[in-house]
Amino acid sequence: MRKSSHGKWMWLAALALSLGFAGCNLFHPTGSRDADNNDTEALTLDGYLEYQNSNYDAARKYFNKAIRADSGNSEAWVGLSKSVLKMQEGLNVFELASYAQRTEKNGKSSNGFIDMSDEKADSISKGIDSVMIFLNKFIILDTTDKTDKKIQFKDIADSYTILQLSKAAIRIRGMHTQLTSVISADNSGMMVNLNALNELGDSLKPFLNDIAAAAEAIKSSPETASEIIKAYLPDSTRDDFDDEDYADLSVGLANTVIELNERAQTVGEDRNDVFFKFGNHIDDDGDGCVDEEIVDNYDNDGDGEVDEDARDYRTVVLMRKPRNYAELIAQGMDPKTYDLTKAQVDSLKFIGSYQAVDINMNGVFGPEDRSIPEATWQPLDEAEWHFVYRDPNVRDEKNNHLLKFAIDLFFPGSDLDEKIRNKELIRHDTDVNNIKYNLQKRIRMVGGCWKYYSEEQFLQWFNGRNAE
């Protein structure tokens, strides 16, 4: 199988070819349009003629008039977006994509988005926002079948992806964080580093919103978006994945990001810590378990909630085929492979920071000999790190995504709302000098991992919490 291009300029050339063949691409000059006697089409033609003559403001006015005559005129919407884009400084495909490339500055990893001046970043950000005003209106109309479909969202998805990824990269530059810190890859799959999301603070929700918008574009046209994704993700993704798998891998990553963003935008501010404090070694949801879930869009502990109080295990969201897949098939074997678009979690990566955490609080955790280096520790309680069903396809078939430690857990309550209300009462009972719900009450009200606590462990639960 053909391997992806390795050189920085090679992928730029490939990206240029990918965009160049797309006539509807926002960065690409349009060809001529033939108008019939319809007013909106005549106005659209006039707009494109002005555009070709680089009279972008005049073109913008014609396209606006065409849209007022017929709001479903897709060519006018795209022409308007192209005209507004051309009126902005620094918004071209090569410049934006090149900013994403990793550099070394003073011995530290950096990129063009981080290194650019605040003025430059602000100018690009505002320029992207100006274009998105019209693009997002067009996308809503297109996805609800209210346009003529001469041009569709999928036709401009590559350009939209570039703009949204650039917006996301600019948003997190203030934390000196880059996209490559959030998404990485090795030969087992692509990973989302949830710990990096922890550090985004108030920028987390808008950042995820930007990335999710790009993810929708990726899903709309994964083949044309693949070269763009390679430009914004780590170099290792070009080494570890073959071109023929890259589109599916991109869709899988997009699905995971969209799920994260949906949760971020719908969770109330008062429960942000429950879902977006990854791997902090604290029971964030009040069920007595510590960092018990993984981010896979399923309930892993049986309490009815999804991805709450999650651990940071550098989530493996995309699994690749074995390197010798074709060879194994030729030998008549049936090697394990996965639907790359489904973002399945294959297995949990055990990292050092969890080796001193007793996730279900049953007293079994870490190695017996604590003097050995943490990097070599292995989990003593494997039930905390293994699914009931190892194969993700089997988990889907049986609708059982529990981890083994959750088999014996019980969560009382007539419905999910009651379970959440009880957990919230416990979660906010944080003053060790004025405890409202003692250990026995917590066991009766919430169940979960509270049944494993001793009185000493119960008092330790209050450590590191602000009294409310």
Side-chain angles (χ1 to χ4, degrees):
M1 291 187 286
R2 181 172 59 88
K3 293 296 290 182
S4 302
S5 303
H6 294 281
K8 173 180 177 180
W9 303 113
M10 289 295 289
W11 68 255
L12 274 174
L15 180 58
L17 285 172
S18 172
L19 294 172
F21 285 121
C24 297
N25 189 279
L26 301 180
F27 298 102
H28 190 270
T30 183
S32 61
R33 295 289 192 273
D34 295 324
D36 47 23
N37 294 325
N38 186 281
D39 283 346
T40 187
E41 291 188 0
L43 290 166
T44 302
L45 175 62
D46 286 340
Y48 276 109
L49 291 174
E50 293 291 353
Y51 181 91
Q52 290 170 338
N53 290 322
S54 301
N55 299 323
Y56 303 122
D57 189 51
R60 176 183 62 82
K61 293 175 181 177
Y62 275 118
F63 291 130
N64 266 321
K65 290 179 181 179
I67 290 168
R68 282 197 292 270
D70 178 10
S71 63
N73 185 333
S74 61
E75 291 181 312
W77 278 109
V78 173
L80 175 60
S81 301
K82 290 160 71 85
S83 299
V84 173
L85 179 66
K86 282 291 189 179
M87 294 169 67
Q88 315 303 317
E89 275 191 43
L91 294 190
N92 68 75
V93 59
F94 294 107
E95 192 166 0
L96 289 177
S98 66
Y99 289 143
Q101 295 309 290
R102 184 176 300 180
T103 60
E104 290 291 326
K105 186 175 182 180
N106 299 325
K108 295 183 179 180
S109 176
S110 186
N111 67 24
F113 288 112
I114 292 178
D115 295 339
M116 70 175 55
S117 68
D118 291 343
E119 291 75 17
K120 177 75 169 177
D122 187 58
S123 174
I124 292 176
S125 180
K126 289 179 178 177
I128 293 174
D129 288 342
S130 297
V131 180
M132 287 301 174
I133 290 173
F134 304 106
L135 276 181
N136 288 332
K137 288 179 180 179
F138 164 67
I139 291 167
I140 291 171
L141 291 171
D142 177 66
T143 54
T144 54
D145 295 324
K146 295 179 180 178
T147 72
D148 56 21
K149 296 297 182 180
K150 291 180 180 178
I151 301 177
Q152 300 180 49
F153 176 36
K154 65 181 181 180
D155 299 320
I156 61 168
D158 44 11
S159 308
Y160 190 84
T161 301
I162 288 177
L163 293 172
Q164 287 290 8
L165 289 178
S166 297
K167 179 72 175 180
I170 289 172
R171 191 180 296 282
I172 62 175
R173 67 183 290 276
M175 280 74 69
H176 296 283
T177 301
Q178 46 193 317
L179 293 178
T180 54
S181 300
V182 180
I183 301 170
S184 58
D186 61 21
N187 59 13
S188 65
M190 285 187 184
M191 289 167 278
V192 176
N193 184 343
L194 300 176
N195 192 48
L197 295 182
N198 270 348
E199 299 169 0
L200 296 183
D202 292 341
S203 296
L204 173 64
K205 288 189 176 183
F207 168 76
L208 284 176
N209 206 41
D210 293 337
I211 293 293
E216 292 287 3
I218 291 167
K219 289 180 65 176
S220 174
S221 183
E223 291 81 7
T224 57
S226 61
E227 292 299 330
I228 299 167
I229 299 162
K230 293 175 189 178
Y232 282 81
L233 295 190
D235 291 341
S236 59
T237 61
R238 294 191 284 276
D239 296 331
D240 286 316
F241 303 119
D242 295 298
D243 286 346
E244 63 187 69
D245 288 337
Y246 214 96
D248 285 346
L249 290 166
S250 302
V251 171
L253 179 62
N255 284 331
T256 296
V257 170
I258 290 168
E259 290 161 2
L260 268 173
N261 180 61
E262 183 177 346
R263 191 161 297 113
Q265 307 307 326
T266 56
V267 168
E269 291 292 332
D270 59 329
R271 299 198 80 212
N272 269 349
D273 288 357
V274 173
F275 293 94
F276 292 99
K277 289 291 185 182
F278 304 109
N280 62 353
H281 301 179
I282 289 178
D283 168 26
D284 289 309
D285 63 335
D287 63 0
C289 308
V290 180
D291 297 347
E292 68 270 19
E293 291 247 356
I294 65 169
V295 177
D296 64 349
N297 208 39
Y298 293 104
D299 178 13
N300 305 128
D301 63 355
D303 67 351
E305 290 206 272
V306 172
D307 294 355
E308 83 286 357
D309 195 10
R311 62 188 78 177
D312 167 27
Y313 65 102
R314 277 63 171 176
T315 310
V316 179
V317 295
L318 307 172
M319 300 309 303
R320 68 187 298 273
K321 295 177 182 177
R323 286 186 180 276
N324 59 340
Y325 181 78
E327 178 184 336
L328 294 173
I329 290 292
Q331 294 174 1
M333 301 177 67
D334 183 21
K336 179 63 66 178
T337 186
Y338 301 99
D339 181 349
L340 301 178
T341 67
K342 292 175 67 174
Q344 295 170 309
V345 174
D346 180 49
S347 63
L348 306 192
K349 287 206 166 186
F350 189 74
I351 60 175
S353 61
Y354 285 97
Q355 291 153 13
V357 178
D358 184 5
I359 292 173
N360 63 352
M361 298 303 294
N362 69 347
V364 182
F365 65 99
E368 294 181 9
D369 181 4
R370 299 295 180 85
S371 66
I372 62 177
E374 278 199 16
T376 64
W377 285 9
Q378 293 297 316
L380 192 58
D381 189 352
E382 293 191 356
E384 297 175 346
W385 288 90
H386 288 77
F387 291 101
V388 173
Y389 296 104
R390 169 68 176 78
D391 190 317
N393 292 321
V394 175
R395 295 200 294 271
D396 288 344
E397 291 169 7
K398 295 184 176 293
N399 194 27
N400 184 332
H401 293 263
L402 294 179
L403 293 166
K404 287 184 177 180
F405 79 88
I407 294 175
D408 297 326
L409 299 186
F410 174 69
F411 296 90
S414 59
D415 55 26
L416 179 59
D417 287 341
E418 182 181 352
K419 293 178 182 180
I420 292 175
R421 283 196 301 270
N422 288 340
K423 288 200 300 180
E424 283 295 286
L425 290 172
I426 301 304
R427 185 169 74 91
H428 291 288
D429 183 21
T430 57
D431 187 352
V432 70
N433 296 312
N434 184 28
I435 298 174
K436 298 176 182 178
Y437 304 98
N438 62 26
L439 180 56
Q440 292 307 311
K441 286 183 178 179
R442 295 180 182 215
I443 293 173
R444 289 195 300 270
M445 290 171 59
V446 174
C449 295
W450 287 113
K451 66 178 182 177
Y452 293 121
Y453 277 65
S454 66
E455 286 295 336
E456 180 182 357
Q457 289 173 316
F458 171 60
L459 293 177
Q460 290 174 350
W461 180 89
F462 294 89
N463 294 342
R465 301 175 190 270
N466 295 321
E468 297 186 11

